[in-house]
Amino acid sequence: MELAILDQEIKVENGVVTIEVVGSVQEEIANKMRPDLVSQIRSLSGADQLSIQILLKEEVETNSNRLYTNSEKLTYLKEKHPALMELQRKFGLEVDF
């Protein structure tokens, strides 16, 4: 989870490091990581005055890609993983929904 947080967009401006997180779980973990990050950055860069700001951004949900029925889900998985269609054909698998 910490790597996912560090993979988010990080901005540095005027001695303030801003880390954008998605969700309250990531925000909580980032706040726990803050003291270690400050000390690590200070030791590597030699910066005296440095602060870390955690910015909670909202996750945008797209309604266009919702899969409701089982057949929609299967079609999506076949498009995403062509080997699934080959396995279905090779083993004669049929769906019964």
Side-chain angles (χ1 to χ4, degrees):
M1 199 62 150
E2 292 173 349
L3 290 175
I5 292 169
L6 293 176
D7 253 359
Q8 300 291 332
E9 186 175 348
I10 298 174
K11 298 176 186 175
V12 179
E13 189 175 310
N14 297 331
V16 178
V17 177
T18 304
I19 301 174
E20 293 184 356
V21 295
V22 179
S24 60
V25 174
Q26 282 190 357
E27 183 181 27
E28 183 179 324
I29 293 171
N31 283 324
K32 289 180 182 177
M33 292 171 41
R34 187 188 309 218
D36 292 334
L37 283 174
V38 169
S39 65
Q40 186 73 16
I41 293 171
R42 283 182 179 169
S43 68
L44 291 174
S45 67
D48 301 5
Q49 298 178 354
L50 175 78
S51 64
I52 294 181
Q53 175 184 8
I54 309 298
L55 180 64
L56 180 64
K57 70 177 186 180
E58 294 182 24
E59 189 171 357
V60 178
E61 292 185 23
T62 59
N63 293 333
S64 62
N65 294 335
R66 299 250 174 143
L67 304 173
Y68 292 105
T69 65
N70 288 334
S71 59
E72 288 176 344
K73 293 174 186 176
L74 180 63
T75 303
Y76 171 76
L77 287 173
K78 284 181 183 179
E79 290 172 2
K80 190 172 181 180
H81 305 285
L84 181 62
M85 191 166 28
E86 179 64 25
L87 287 172
Q88 184 180 14
R89 185 193 60 76
K90 185 176 183 178
F91 293 109
L93 300 173
E94 295 294 324
V95 293
D96 56 353
F97 47 81

